[in-house]
């Protein structure tokens, strides 16, 4: 049998291994031994144990099927958090520029950056951290709780235990307080016998016992499985053991079906028996009576409201669903009453004690009514005035007349109080007098102000020049200077039309005379002047 396949780095290593094995077979090379000093048989594969079961029955082994020896390099220890190894007194070469520790550089320093580093201050040198190299095995690398200290969770456990103890103490004190008050009230009454006092003392002693299930002696709890799977938790079994079980009331196979999982029998097991002698009529009697029927109607209303687009859900918001159902019943009852009253008002109530008029009872009367060819009433019946679609004779805000019954100064108002504000409150005759007094006072104030007002002083009119400034009294235009100014204005306008005639160096004269301004005004074109085309 060939040896196990081994991966070699090169062909030369493989060749050397083959030569070594051939030399061992020929006895020219020492045999290979295992860890126990035994000679390894070259015909047995190395991935198996040194002694298979059929060769050495004394020591059977399956060590070759798994890695049974742990690597000594692997460890389960963890980093020593916050450990320091050396505290230097002065800065050392190669240490951190910020804190002065030798175990890291300034780039990796986690201490707050100092304004002046330890290299230059040579004080407050940080101690060197403990650097560890931990090599974890396969499980250690994937252990999420590796390095966790369980003692760090003790404060959480202590807090919850203290809370539970405080709750138990409070409940115990409340029970004692209630029983003592009840005991004191009973002792204060007359005619209390000694037996009652002994029972109350016994209750107080029972409350002092530190047992959480003191009040649950009469409660029988059982685990009940439902047809849909799962369980309903603990339920109270209210059936007395001396009563006959429901499935034993009628042993006929074709009688009411009994479901052993839910312990339910919906139909009546004895439908022909006397109802006065039956104490059980099936589970449906509980579904169709009492609060169960009310709850059924509540569910149906929630479903129908949800189908009609209303946001209601019986399980998600039961209080909202119950409130809406109550409002629905109130509105439904009001609508039913209103419909009944409307019908009775229109057709009357035959059950009332009022006597029906004779003309309605017999369908005829002695009143003579004349009609024309078109069927219109001519004589014999009063003409009914047509009514408007708007409300008539409706008085609001204590008014005795309607809006629009009074008109003044192009405004409508109320005639009762002469107010012209639509939503105003009626003030009556006192309001009319107050309004008239206010109007008279306002007129008197206007007259007094006009009487005391002084006439404005006359403003002297100043003669303005044609260019907009004040004209001096001694201003006289020279005809020659005006003609010269007109000629210059023509030249200036020609230069504006032809830019090529304008010289490169232009000298501007800022001095403007009265003749220049007059010439500018005379040559200026007024675009809105209808006679501008006839000017020369």
């Amino acid at each position: 049998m060939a040896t196990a396949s081994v991966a070699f780095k090169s062909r030369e290593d493989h060749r050397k291994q083959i030569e070594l094995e051939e030399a061992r077979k020929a006895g020219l090379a020492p045999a290979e031994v295992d860890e126990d000093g035994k000679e390894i048989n070259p015909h047995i594969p190395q991935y198996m144990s040194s002694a298979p079961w059929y060769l050495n029955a004394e020591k059977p082994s399956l060590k070759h099927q798994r890695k049974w020896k742990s690597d000594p390099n692997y460890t389960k220890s963890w980093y020593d958090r916050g450990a320091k190894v050396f505290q230097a007194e002065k800065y050392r070469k190669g240490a951190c520029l910020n804190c002065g520790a030798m175990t890291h550089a300034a780039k990796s320093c986690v201490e707050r950056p100092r304004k002046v580093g330890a290299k230059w201050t040579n004080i407050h040198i940080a101690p060197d951290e403990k650097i560890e190299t931990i090599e974890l095995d396969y499980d250690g690398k994937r252990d999420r709780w590796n390095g966790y200290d369980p003692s760090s969770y003790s404060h959480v456990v202590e807090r919850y235990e203290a809370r539970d103890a405080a709750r138990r103490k409070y409940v115990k004190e409340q029970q004692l307080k209630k029983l003592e008050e009840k005991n004191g009230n009973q002792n204060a009454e007359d005619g209390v016998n000694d037996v009652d006092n002994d029972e109350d003392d016994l209750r107080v002693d029972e409350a002092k016992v530190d047992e959480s299930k003191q009040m649950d002696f009469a409660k029988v709890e059982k685990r009940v499985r439902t047809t849909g799977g799962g369980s309903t938790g603990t339920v109270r079994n209210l059936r007395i053991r001396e009563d006959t079980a429901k499935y034993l009331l009628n042993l006929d196979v074709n009688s009411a079906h009994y479901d052993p999982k839910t312990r339910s029998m919906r139909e009546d097991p004895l439908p022909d028996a006397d109802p006065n002698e039956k104490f059980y009529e099936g589970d449906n009697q509980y579904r169709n009576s009492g609060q169960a029927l009310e709850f059924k109607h509540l569910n149906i209303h929630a479903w129908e409201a949800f189908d009609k687009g209303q946001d209601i859900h019986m399980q998600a918001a039961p209080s909202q669903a119950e409130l809406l159902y109550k409002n629905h019943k109130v509105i439904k009852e009001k609508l039913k009453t209103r419909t009944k009253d409307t019908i009775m008002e229109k057709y009357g109530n035959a059950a009332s004690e009022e006597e029906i008029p004779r003309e309605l009872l017999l369908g005829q009367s002695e009143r003579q009514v004349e009609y024309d060819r078109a069927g219109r009433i001519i004589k014999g019946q009063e003409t009914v005035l047509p009514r408007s679609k708007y409300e008539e004779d409706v008085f609001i805000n204590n008014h005795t007349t309607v809006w629009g019954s009074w008109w003044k100064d192009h405004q409508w108002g109320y005639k009762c109080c002469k107010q012209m504000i639509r939503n105003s409150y009626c003030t009556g005759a006192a309001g009319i007098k107050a309004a008239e007094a206010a109007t008279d006072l306002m007129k008197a104030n206007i007259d007094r102000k006009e009487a005391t007002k002084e006439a404005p002083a006359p403003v002297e009119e100043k003669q303005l020049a044609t260019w907009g400034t004040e004209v001096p009294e001694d201003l006289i235009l020279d005809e020659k200077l005006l003609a010269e100014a007109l000629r210059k204005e023509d030249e200036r306008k020609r230069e504006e039309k032809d830019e090529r005639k304008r010289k490169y160096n232009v000298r501007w004269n800022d001095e403007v005379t009265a003749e220049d301004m007059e010439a500018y005004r005379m040559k200026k074109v007024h675009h809105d002047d209808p006679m501008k085309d006839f000017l020369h």
Side-chain angles (χ1 to χ4, degrees):
M1 185 180 295
T3 58
S5 60
V6 181
F8 298 97
K9 294 182 179 180
S10 63
R11 292 179 177 270
E12 186 65 23
D13 295 340
H14 191 193
R15 187 182 59 78
K16 290 181 179 181
Q17 182 68 21
I18 294 175
E19 292 178 356
L20 181 59
E21 291 178 359
E22 291 178 354
R24 286 173 178 172
K25 292 178 182 179
L28 300 176
E32 188 178 1
V33 295
D34 57 5
E35 297 177 356
D36 299 334
K38 296 182 180 180
E39 183 178 352
I40 297 176
N41 191 346
H43 301 287
I44 299 176
Q46 298 304 312
Y47 55 83
M48 296 179 64
S49 62
S50 58
W53 63 273
Y54 54 86
L55 294 180
N56 187 2
E58 297 178 359
K59 297 177 63 179
S61 175
L62 295 176
K63 296 179 180 179
H64 60 282
Q65 293 188 1
R66 64 184 179 88
K67 187 178 181 181
W68 59 278
K69 280 192 176 183
S70 60
D71 196 334
N73 296 327
Y74 293 154
T75 179
K76 292 185 178 180
S77 62
W78 197 247
Y79 300 99
D80 192 1
R81 302 179 185 273
K84 309 296 181 182
V85 293
F86 180 72
Q87 174 67 54
E89 297 181 356
K90 61 180 181 178
Y91 182 78
R92 296 159 291 176
K93 185 179 181 181
C96 176
L97 302 179
N98 185 43
C99 64
M102 288 290 294
T103 52
H104 63 269
K107 186 177 180 180
S108 304
C109 185
V110 296
E111 190 177 333
R112 179 182 59 84
R114 303 181 183 180
K115 188 174 182 180
V116 181
K119 179 180 179 181
W120 295 276
T121 59
N122 210 16
I123 57 175
H124 301 299
I125 305 299
D128 299 341
E129 297 92 351
K130 183 179 180 181
I131 304 299
E132 298 179 275
T133 303
I134 297 179
E135 188 175 356
L136 301 175
D137 55 357
Y138 182 85
D139 294 332
K141 292 178 181 179
R142 291 156 180 81
D143 186 7
R144 59 180 299 189
W145 297 103
N146 196 357
Y148 177 74
D149 186 11
S151 61
S152 61
Y153 192 74
S154 60
H155 67 282
V156 180
V157 178
E158 292 174 359
R159 185 172 71 251
Y160 277 92
E161 289 178 352
R163 187 190 65 180
D164 295 340
R167 182 186 292 110
R168 288 194 296 269
K169 183 179 178 181
Y170 175 76
V171 172
K172 183 178 178 181
E173 290 177 354
Q174 294 296 323
Q175 291 178 355
L176 287 172
K177 186 176 179 181
K178 289 181 180 180
L179 291 176
E180 288 176 357
E181 290 178 356
K182 187 175 181 181
N183 190 14
N185 295 334
Q186 290 181 357
N187 290 335
E189 296 177 356
D190 297 332
V192 179
N193 51 16
D194 298 338
V195 178
D196 296 337
N197 295 335
D198 295 339
E199 291 180 356
D200 295 335
D201 296 339
L202 181 59
R203 291 175 184 174
V204 174
D205 295 336
E206 289 178 354
K208 294 180 180 179
V209 179
D210 188 11
E211 293 182 1
S212 60
K213 296 183 179 179
Q214 181 71 22
M215 306 301 294
D216 295 337
F217 287 144
K219 185 177 180 181
V220 181
E221 296 182 351
K222 286 193 176 184
R223 197 80 172 174
V224 179
R225 294 184 59 84
T226 59
T227 55
S231 62
T232 59
T234 57
V235 295
R236 189 185 296 267
N237 190 354
L238 301 178
R239 186 178 70 85
I240 304 175
R241 294 299 156 185
E242 287 77 9
D243 293 343
T244 304
K246 62 181 74 174
Y247 53 85
L248 296 178
L249 295 175
N250 191 351
L251 300 180
D252 187 3
V253 181
N254 298 324
S255 63
H257 173 70
Y258 174 75
D259 187 6
K261 287 188 176 181
T262 58
R263 299 181 182 180
S264 61
M265 181 182 289
R266 299 187 178 182
E267 299 179 1
D268 188 0
L270 300 172
D272 300 331
D274 186 6
N276 298 325
E277 297 179 358
K278 292 191 297 184
F279 67 92
Y280 179 74
E281 298 179 359
D283 295 340
N284 287 337
Q285 67 173 345
Y286 304 115
R287 297 174 180 267
N288 300 325
S289 61
Q291 295 182 351
L293 185 60
E294 185 71 17
F295 184 73
K296 178 181 177 182
H297 293 327
L298 177 59
N299 277 325
I300 294 174
H301 172 263
W303 297 337
E304 292 178 351
F306 182 78
D307 292 340
K308 293 179 181 178
Q310 194 170 0
D311 188 10
I312 180 175
H313 197 279
M314 183 59 195
Q315 282 71 32
S319 301
Q320 178 190 8
E322 187 173 0
L323 181 61
L324 292 176
Y325 179 58
K326 289 182 179 179
N327 295 339
H328 169 72
K329 291 196 297 184
V330 172
I331 295 172
K332 185 177 179 180
E333 188 67 24
K334 288 182 178 180
L335 183 61
K336 185 177 179 181
T337 306
R338 189 185 307 168
T339 305
K340 180 179 178 181
D341 295 342
T342 304
I343 295 175
M344 291 177 62
E345 182 181 357
K346 185 175 182 179
Y347 299 102
N349 186 7
S352 63
E353 298 178 358
E354 298 179 0
E355 296 182 359
I356 303 176
R358 187 177 182 84
E359 56 271 12
L360 294 179
L361 182 62
L362 302 176
Q364 59 186 1
S365 63
E366 296 179 356
R367 182 180 300 174
Q368 183 178 0
V369 181
E370 296 182 5
Y371 299 90
D372 59 359
R373 292 178 179 272
R376 293 187 293 268
I377 297 176
I378 299 175
K379 186 176 64 174
Q381 189 174 358
E382 297 180 358
T383 306
V384 180
L385 297 176
R387 296 182 61 85
S388 172
K389 67 177 181 179
Y390 302 101
E391 294 179 344
E392 297 181 5
D393 299 334
V394 177
F395 307 115
I396 61 174
N397 295 336
N398 204 29
H399 289 286
T400 57
T401 57
V402 296
W403 170 260
S405 59
W406 187 58
W407 171 266
K408 182 180 179 181
D409 297 336
H410 304 281
Q411 288 183 343
W412 294 103
Y414 294 97
K415 186 178 181 180
C416 55
C417 57
K418 295 185 179 180
Q419 293 195 60
M420 290 177 287
I421 301 175
R422 179 70 179 272
N423 295 326
S424 62
Y425 194 81
C426 184
T427 56
I432 297 174
K433 293 180 180 179
E436 292 177 353
T439 304
D440 297 339
L441 181 60
M442 183 178 63
K443 290 180 179 179
N445 292 335
I446 293 174
D447 296 340
R448 185 174 62 255
K449 186 175 180 180
E450 290 180 352
T452 58
K453 188 176 181 181
E454 297 180 357
V459 180
E460 297 181 358
E461 296 183 0
K462 296 183 180 180
Q463 184 179 2
L464 299 179
T466 54
W467 54 86
T469 58
E470 296 181 1
V471 180
E473 296 178 357
D474 56 349
L475 177 62
I476 299 174
L477 297 177
D478 192 354
E479 296 294 335
K480 294 181 179 181
L481 295 177
L482 181 58
E484 183 66 21
L486 290 173
R487 185 184 60 80
K488 291 180 180 180
E489 184 66 20
D490 292 337
E491 292 180 358
R492 187 181 66 81
K493 286 192 174 184
R494 282 196 298 270
E495 289 180 0
E496 288 181 357
K497 292 182 179 180
D498 192 357
E499 291 289 336
R500 292 176 297 178
K501 293 183 179 181
R502 187 168 61 87
K503 297 179 180 180
Y504 183 76
N505 295 324
V506 180
R507 294 181 181 180
W508 296 97
N509 187 9
D510 296 334
E511 296 180 1
V512 180
T513 61
E515 289 79 5
D516 295 338
M517 290 299 298
E518 187 67 19
Y520 172 75
R521 185 195 64 80
M522 294 172 65
K523 293 294 184 181
K524 183 179 179 182
V525 178
H526 297 277
H527 296 282
D528 55 349
D529 188 2
M531 302 296 291
K532 64 180 180 178
D533 296 335
F534 301 97
L535 296 177
H536 298 288

